[in-house]
Amino acid sequence: MTKLKEITNFIENDLIRKIRKDLWHYEISNERDFESLVYFYLKPLLKKFPEIKISTNYSLMGLDVWKGKGKWKRVNFVMPDIVISERSSNEKKPLNHLIAFELKTRSPGEGTAPTFSSEEYELDFRKLNRLMRANKIKHAYYFLVYSDKQETEEETEEEIEKCSFSYGKARSKNMASKARLKRFKSFVFNRYVNPRTKKIVDDYKRAEI
């Protein structure tokens, strides 16, 4: 198994299980908790590879990305929540970035899955897509923690897959450019899903934990 394959295999299996377990036991309430937890679980694995570096809020420069909060503007850097990179044996060479994460956490008080057409979510989608399209990374992951007593995680992941998101300034007065192809993998975590049974539970059962 290659080094990159071992890391992605851990992310898509062991890390996902650990996140579900910790979420079920109320270990994740905000994005800072989430980022710290993901970093904590990745670090021991990455120590096996001295040339691998993990960074939080790392700026990748030279990539134009549109931000559209109220008014569209172009920025020339991308800052994923977590980046895994490889150092070269030649210190003069730049880091080879391998994996990027965007992490999103909805407050427990927001009792439904989010609307993915909002700029808050579209910006994360644009960043990951832009990194992949520019071949700046090999793999991209979008992780979402939310609360919903009715919508399953499969349904939420399907919503992400189906949604179109703006990826640039409007080409005409009323129409912004849209993209549907996602170049990243999504994993969602519903606080109401029991990690053992994979089923949604009610407030009474959830409070027993």
Side-chain angles (χ1 to χ4, degrees):
M1 185 183 297
T2 66
K3 174 172 47 187
L4 182 57
K5 181 64 177 175
E6 184 173 350
I7 296 171
T8 56
N9 185 61
F10 175 86
I11 290 169
E12 296 177 22
N13 295 280
D14 298 63
L15 179 60
I16 299 304
R17 286 192 292 270
K18 291 174 184 292
I19 291 172
R20 293 193 190 285
K21 181 180 177 181
D22 283 2
L23 182 64
W24 185 245
H25 290 281
Y26 301 102
E27 297 292 335
I28 306 171
S29 59
N30 55 51
E31 286 182 27
R32 182 170 293 182
D33 292 342
F34 201 9
E35 183 179 290
S36 298
L37 182 145
V38 171
Y39 184 97
F40 174 80
Y41 284 131
L42 285 171
K43 191 67 175 176
L45 170 71
L46 300 181
K47 281 185 176 179
K48 293 174 55 178
F49 312 109
E51 68 280 16
I52 295 296
K53 171 183 173 63
I54 182 170
S55 308
T56 58
N57 299 308
Y58 184 91
S59 294
L60 284 79
M61 308 302 294
L63 283 177
D64 290 340
V65 177
W66 286 97
K67 299 179 72 173
K69 220 170 192 179
K71 184 178 180 181
W72 283 100
K73 66 176 182 179
R74 190 192 294 265
V75 295
N76 65 349
F77 69 93
V78 177
M79 186 186 289
D81 291 319
I82 295 176
V83 175
I84 296 174
S85 311
E86 184 175 23
R87 301 182 184 92
S88 171
S89 56
N90 183 344
E91 294 182 357
K92 294 182 179 180
K93 288 188 176 182
L95 291 171
N96 177 28
H97 304 300
L98 303 174
I99 302 170
F101 295 81
E102 282 294 332
L103 312 177
K104 186 67 70 178
T105 307
R106 275 171 74 82
S107 166
E110 298 177 278
T112 60
T115 302
F116 295 107
S117 58
S118 69
E119 172 61 14
E120 178 183 5
Y121 297 94
E122 287 194 1
L123 178 58
D124 288 344
F125 298 165
R126 277 199 300 279
K127 287 195 289 185
L128 294 177
N129 259 30
R130 185 72 179 91
L131 288 167
M132 291 294 290
R133 286 175 59 201
N135 294 317
K136 295 294 185 180
I137 54 175
K138 306 296 184 186
H139 298 272
Y141 295 99
Y142 180 77
F143 287 2
L144 168 70
V145 166
Y146 68 106
S147 304
D148 196 306
K149 301 173 191 176
Q150 297 182 335
E151 185 168 297
T152 67
E153 292 177 344
E154 291 76 15
E155 289 171 331
T156 303
E157 288 182 349
E158 189 175 345
E159 285 183 21
I160 294 175
E161 190 61 32
K162 287 183 176 180
C163 78
S164 298
F165 61 95
S166 301
Y167 65 91
K169 192 174 182 180
R171 293 177 178 174
S172 64
K173 186 175 181 180
N174 299 314
M175 185 179 295
S177 301
K178 290 280 186 178
R180 176 166 289 177
L181 176 64
K182 313 299 187 303
R183 300 173 186 269
F184 52 87
K185 287 188 176 182
S186 300
F187 292 92
V188 303
F189 309 91
N190 186 348
R191 292 184 178 91
Y192 282 93
V193 171
N194 185 316
R196 183 176 59 83
T197 65
K198 306 295 191 296
K199 294 182 178 180
I200 294 177
V201 300
D202 57 25
D203 285 316
Y204 179 76
K205 288 289 186 182
R206 190 69 181 89
E208 290 180 348
I209 302 303

